[in-house]
Amino acid sequence: SRPVKRSLTLHGHRPSVSLEEPFWQEFRRIAEARGLSINELAAIVDADRGMESGLASAIRVFVLEEVQRRP
C-alpha cells in the first residue's frame, strides 16, 4: 500500500509522518495495548531513535520488532 501521511504532536511540534496503512494500524494497536496515545508512543520511539534514522523509519522498525516478539 502507498504511504499515508498523518500529523503527530511531539513536544509541541506537529511533524508529518508517512507510513503504510498496515504500519499505522499496528502502531495504533500497540499504543492501545500499552494504554498510550499514538502521540505518546511516537514520543517514546522518537526519544529512542537517535539521529541516524527518520521518525517514520524508526516507527516501522519499532512495529516490526514488536510483531516479532509475539509468541
Side-chain angles (χ1 to χ4, degrees):
S1 69
R2 297 188 68 122
V4 177
K5 186 179 280 192
R6 294 203 169 93
S7 293
L8 298 171
T9 301
L10 299 175
H11 316 292
H13 300 284
R14 300 270 304 157
S16 292
V17 177
S18 294
L19 296 172
E20 295 76 10
E21 189 58 35
F23 281 101
W24 280 121
Q25 291 172 0
E26 190 60 27
F27 194 59
R28 251 187 242 106
R29 192 204 65 73
I30 294 166
E32 288 174 8
R34 294 182 178 198
L36 300 170
S37 70
I38 289 178
N39 291 326
E40 290 169 325
L41 186 54
I44 292 168
V45 171
D46 185 47
D48 291 344
R49 75 180 164 104
M51 289 292 132
E52 304 86 42
S53 67
L55 182 55
S57 294
I59 290 173
R60 284 186 190 93
V61 170
F62 171 81
V63 168
L64 180 61
E65 289 173 347
E66 288 294 309
V67 168
Q68 288 176 335
R69 286 188 187 127
R70 291 184 191 153

